[in-house]
Amino acid sequence: MASAARLLQARNGRLLASAEELGRWRIRLPPGLPALSHRDSRYYALDDVDGLEYRIDPATQVLLVQGRPDVFLSTRINTGLADYSAPLAPETGGFLNYDLQMQQQQNVGRLDGFLELGMFNARGFGTSSFLVRGTEGSLRTVRLDTAWTADDPGEQRSLRLGDSISRPGAWGRSLRYGGVQWGSNFAIRPDLVAFPQPSIGGEAVLPSTVDLYVDNALRLSRRVPYGPFTIPNVPVVTGEGEVRLVVRDALGRESVVTQAYYASAGLLRPGLHDYTYEAGFVRRSFTLENDDYGRFFGAGTHRLGITDRLTGEVRAELLKDQQTVGLGGSFLWPAAGILNAALAASRSPLGNGALASAGIERQGRAFGFGLQTQVNTAAFTQLGLGAPQYHPRQLTVARANYSSSGIGSLFASYVHQANRAQPDVDLVSVGYNVGLQRDAFLSLFTMRSIKGEPVRSVGITLTFSLGPRTSASALAVSQRDGVTPSFQLQQSLPQGNGAGYRVSATGGSHPRNEAGLFLQMDYGTVSLEAAQLEKTTAFRVGATGGVAILGGRLRLARRLDESFALVKVGDYPDIPVYRDNQPVARTDASGSALIGSLRPYQKNNISISQQALPLDAQIGALTMTVTPVRRSGALVEFPVKAVRGALLRIFLDDGLPLPAGALVTVAGQDEEFPVALRGEAYVTGLASRNELWAAWKGQRCRLDVELPRDAGPLPVIGPLACHGVVP
């Protein structure tokens, strides 16, 4: 790299460069390097920089500098793959989701349904869900979960008040309870990868291009200056893989660095905390009773990334007459995989108990396996565990899988459960999947018990892809009572509006035929289904959708399981609205459309098509970006408005056109419209009656313009007389 530089030369011939020049050359200054002050600047002798070589060409007065890679400052390359954007506080609003099914069988009607009520504001969102069950003459509603949730994306944590599901940790069990839950929530930070990612680096002798490949897929391409460089936190998927770095300099020379990696979601980055603390009353008779709560408990789980390869965990469960504490950890052994272990001890009226578990897991590109075993004493107890005689004293699960592009994929698993009051269970299952041709797939599976109650099942499935949304499958399953064949043809619903269907037939000892038609609209999905089992026929009609309250308006919509937005496109009806370049809705008579399934805490691109707007529309933007909060709504208003315009033909008193270059303004507006040839000027922002002014060389005249009722998209008005202006 050639550039002008001002250097000092000592009497002994040594060259000195200022700190600014060395920084511009990207030369690292070692600590304690002696310096010389000159004119308020610090100069360093090039000879004092270890590993640096230089020479001067007297004829051209060119200083040539070269050195070892560690002499130069390292370049840090950011992958730039994060998609997180701090969301704006949501508007206050609410929503209702419904899924209702009316069934008629043998002249007996039944209603089944699911309802979810929600509201949101700047402090979070709350939901309450219900089951609806009705038969002729009776209707019962059962409350499921009711909770208020507040997310804090900046700290990657959430607070939930109400009904929750506890976090099990390495050795615990999940259970439903009513109370408070506070802890880490990495899901609200899409840019954050909690597990350790590999890093890779190299050296560039000249300015070069760096291409980063992860498992043969190009993930990054950057220009780098000369010197060393590093790429920390390479974006990889979990499991075994390979990172390849291709460095190509300005002379076309190429060097390749290859590095194997193993990444696991079971590990945490060093120094990263993952915690959940919860307390409340254990929920009982869920889906049967509204408010059946039992014992009070407190529990906490805290994980810490100790190193890139080691993650530790501590968990405690505290009840009035029962306490359980334990430790867990995961360790990466690159040659084998992820090793995990846990130990827990309990104290209760049953006595002191203990639990131990250990396992190993590895998922490679072609071969993977896993082995996990857990044992516990009869007196061991924990949250969510029933009576000792009903939980196993040992549980072992083993699995293995192999896949190849040529022969397909094969998997096998083994489960051993040693019970206390019941016979032991040993199950073996094997499966095989292969693509027969471009649009056909074959699956084989078998399951058999080694001990305990005899169980045997063998099946074969053949699936055909008949189009982007259409598929057909044939299945045959052999069990103790014979072979059961079945066939199914289905077309899934599109992302936008449209229809789908499903037809299936099952043979064997209990033949069954089913057919269903599904229609998806902006306002929800309706279904009509019929089923015949032996000599009994049943019919079912369903409706699924949502209702949103946002911006002071109530809107019908599809089911609102994620974030959503109310989009406003001026007052224009029937304008298609796109989410990530896919059509998802059309505006109604007021120019509004409700868009669902937005990704929370991520940038969502919502766009409209210019071709769908009329010619008199003034468009400020065709694409808007919205970053919504989870389970909340946002208002997105496109800067689009109707601008009524007209082509005016203006003439002077002598019959000549107003000269080109004159300016026309609308009274009360700042915008100026130039006059072109033949006295023509295209003016926008017009109302039904308008006061306009034309100016030329310090002269002005008033023009009174009235738009016709049926003006059309581009009316032509004139001739208009401009009195008092002379050329």
Side-chain angles (χ1 to χ4, degrees), residues 298-314:
T301 303
H302 200 118
R303 301 173 66 226
L304 172 64
I306 302 172
T307 68
D308 279 341
R309 297 187 179 184
L310 178 62
T311 296
E313 175 185 313
V314 59

Side-chain angles (χ1 to χ4, degrees), residues 456-585:
R456 182 185 65 83
S457 178
V458 179
I460 179 173
T461 302
L462 188 60
T463 303
F464 296 92
S465 176
L466 305 179
R469 296 189 293 119
T470 308
S471 64
S473 62
L475 169 67
V477 179
S478 175
Q479 296 176 321
R480 287 188 301 174
D481 55 354
V483 178
T484 302
S486 64
F487 173 80
Q488 178 171 287
L489 176 65
Q490 69 174 17
Q491 183 180 80
S492 59
L493 289 169
Q495 189 173 20
N497 294 341
Y501 61 85
R502 177 176 55 83
V503 179
S504 65
T506 303
S509 57
H510 301 284
R512 180 185 182 92
N513 299 311
E514 297 183 25
L517 179 63
F518 311 93
L519 180 62
Q520 181 167 269
M521 302 167 290
D522 290 337
Y523 309 117
T525 303
V526 295
S527 61
L528 177 61
E529 299 175 88
Q532 184 182 48
L533 178 60
E534 297 179 348
K535 296 182 179 180
T536 302
T537 303
F539 299 94
R540 183 167 59 192
V541 178
T544 302
V547 180
I549 303 175
L550 186 62
R553 298 187 58 187
L554 187 147
R555 304 276 309 187
L556 297 178
R558 299 176 191 170
R559 187 177 175 88
L560 301 171
D561 290 325
E562 299 292 341
S563 305
F564 57 94
L566 179 63
V567 179
K568 180 73 172 173
V569 188
D571 296 322
Y572 294 108
D574 202 34
I575 302 299
V577 181
Y578 300 83
R579 181 189 65 236
D580 297 332
N581 298 321
Q582 296 293 325
V584 291

Side-chain angles (χ1 to χ4, degrees), residues 619-643:
I619 305 171
L622 293 172
T623 300
M624 302 286 287
T625 300
V626 58
T627 305
V629 175
R630 183 163 58 123
R631 299 306 303 271
S632 300
L635 295 175
V636 179
E637 186 168 358
F638 279 86
V640 175
K641 62 180 181 180
V643 180

Side-chain angles (χ1 to χ4, degrees), residues 686-718:
L686 299 177
S688 299
R689 297 176 181 272
N690 306 272
E691 176 187 334
L692 282 73
W693 290 88
W696 169 254
K697 292 185 177 181
Q699 307 171 78
R700 299 178 67 202
C701 67
R702 173 173 171 166
L703 305 171
D704 293 317
V705 176
E706 182 176 351
L707 289 178
R709 290 182 178 271
D710 54 349
L714 184 60
V716 179
I717 300 176

Side-chain angles (χ1 to χ4, degrees), residues 2-232:
S3 61
R6 184 174 184 176
L7 305 176
L8 298 181
Q9 188 172 29
R11 292 179 179 178
N12 57 6
R14 302 177 71 195
L15 286 182
L16 295 90
S18 66
E20 292 77 9
E21 290 292 348
L22 293 176
R24 193 158 57 92
W25 299 344
R26 301 182 60 256
I27 294 177
R28 187 193 309 272
L29 288 177
L33 193 69
L36 172 68
S37 295
H38 177 71
R39 293 185 179 180
D40 298 329
S41 296
R42 299 178 66 83
Y43 284 78
Y44 298 88
L46 300 183
D47 293 338
D48 291 338
V49 180
D50 185 33
L52 184 68
E53 299 178 359
Y54 69 92
R55 66 180 180 87
I56 296 179
D57 186 348
T60 61
Q61 289 293 292
V62 172
L63 172 67
L64 301 176
V65 179
Q66 62 182 12
R68 298 194 309 262
D70 59 349
V71 171
F72 301 97
L73 295 172
S74 178
T75 301
R76 181 185 176 96
I77 302 177
N78 186 9
T79 57
L81 299 178
D83 195 24
Y84 170 75
S85 178
L88 297 176
E91 305 285 336
T92 298
F95 58 87
L96 164 68
N97 286 319
Y98 61 88
D99 188 351
L100 303 175
Q101 305 285 337
M102 177 69 74
Q103 181 171 308
Q104 183 77 21
Q105 181 176 352
Q106 294 182 340
N107 298 324
V108 177
R110 191 182 76 189
L111 173 66
D112 295 314
F114 172 83
L115 300 175
E116 182 186 34
L117 295 172
M119 67 165 294
F120 52 87
N121 56 29
R123 290 187 172 90
F125 65 92
T127 58
S128 186
S129 55
F130 304 86
L131 274 182
V132 179
R133 293 168 177 163
T135 57
E136 294 183 355
S138 67
L139 181 65
R140 186 183 180 212
T141 301
V142 179
R143 186 184 65 85
L144 299 178
D145 292 320
T146 302
W148 181 268
T149 303
D151 292 335
D152 184 358
E155 298 295 331
Q156 307 104 47
R157 63 191 179 194
S158 295
L159 173 66
R160 183 178 175 94
L161 303 175
D163 295 311
S164 301
I165 299 177
S166 67
R167 179 177 179 178
W171 50 266
R173 291 171 176 260
S174 296
L175 80 158
R176 293 184 176 273
Y177 70 96
V180 57
Q181 184 181 74
W182 178 75
S184 305
N185 187 356
F186 299 140
I188 62 177
R189 282 294 300 270
D191 64 316
L192 178 64
V193 179
F195 60 84
Q197 296 173 285
S199 62
I200 193 170
E203 301 170 353
V205 179
L206 298 173
S208 305
T209 300
V210 173
D211 293 332
L212 175 68
Y213 294 84
V214 178
D215 297 329
N216 295 321
L218 180 64
R219 301 299 301 271
L220 181 72
S221 183
R222 291 284 191 277
R223 293 280 299 174
V224 297
Y226 55 86
F229 62 88
T230 59
I231 305 177

